[in-house]
Every structure is written in C-alpha cells, then in structure tokens.
C-alpha cells in the first residue's frame, strides 16, 4: 500500500525516476554549461534582482497600492451588484 502511494507520487518506480532525474540533470547541465550559465550565476542574479527591488525603495509598493485601489473601485461594486442580482433571482 505504501509502495503504491510512493510510486504514484513519484510517477514511476523510485529506481526509474532516479535514473530519469540523473539523465535529465546531465542533459540540462551540458546545455547550461554550453550557454555559459552556472548555478552560482543564477543565485547571484537572484540576489541582484532582490537588491535592485530593495534599492528602488517603497515607491513600488505605493504604486501597486494605487493600482489595487483603482481596480477595487471598479471590481467591488460590480461584484456587489452581481451578488445582489443573483440573490434576487434565487428567491423568486
């Protein structure tokens, strides 16, 4: 019973899945190496991205908040009207 769950979760027998992952890791490693991309470069890129967001300051948060309020000014009344119309139809 436990084996069936594990096999279903993994998508096959553990041995076959392990071999498939080893093969795919090798292929992806060769491709990334040919493109001159290395794992640490990906981590440094992510770190730089977060740093740039931080350095942009909190203006981004203010801008996102204004987008949210503008959208909510349209979405909430439309939703409320649709709910009121549906409740009126349901009682008839």
């Amino acid at each position: 019973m436990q084996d069936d769950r594990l096999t279903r979760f993994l998508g096959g027998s553990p041995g076959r899945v392990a071999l498939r992952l080893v093969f795919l890791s090798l292929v992806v490693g060769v491709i990334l190496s040919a493109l001159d991309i290395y794992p640490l470069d990906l981590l440094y890129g992510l770190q730089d991205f977060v740093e740039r967001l931080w350095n942009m300051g909190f203006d981004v948060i203010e801008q996102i908040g204004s987008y949210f309020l503008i959208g909510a000014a349209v979405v909430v009344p439309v939703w409320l009207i649709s709910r009121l119309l549906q409740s009126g139809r349901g009682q008839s």
Side-chain angles (χ1 to χ4, degrees), residues 30 37 63 67 74:
V30 167
I37 299 173
Q63 190 173 14
Y67 290 155
V74 173

Side-chain angles (χ1 to χ4, degrees), residues 53-72:
L53 280 179
W54 183 263
N55 290 335
M56 286 173 63
F58 294 100
D59 293 337
V60 172
I61 295 172
E62 182 182 340
Q63 190 173 14
I64 290 172
S66 69
Y67 290 155
F68 170 76
L69 290 175
I70 291 169

Side-chain angles (χ1 to χ4, degrees), residues 28-45:
V28 169
V30 167
I31 291 170
L32 290 177
S33 180
L35 295 173
D36 202 29
I37 299 173
Y38 297 97
L40 283 179
D41 293 339
L42 295 174
L43 291 176
Y44 292 146

Side-chain angles (χ1 to χ4, degrees), residues 6-56:
L6 181 64
T7 301
R8 195 172 353 162
F9 173 74
L10 293 176
S13 69
R16 286 184 88 163
V17 171
L19 283 175
R20 196 174 339 154
L21 288 174
V22 166
F23 176 73
L24 286 174
S25 296
L26 234 134
V27 169
V28 169
V30 167
I31 291 170
L32 290 177
S33 180
L35 295 173
D36 202 29
I37 299 173
Y38 297 97
L40 283 179
D41 293 339
L42 295 174
L43 291 176
Y44 292 146
L46 180 64
Q47 180 183 359
D48 289 342
F49 174 72
V50 170
E51 225 173 90
R52 279 183 297 191
L53 280 179
W54 183 263
N55 290 335
M56 286 173 63

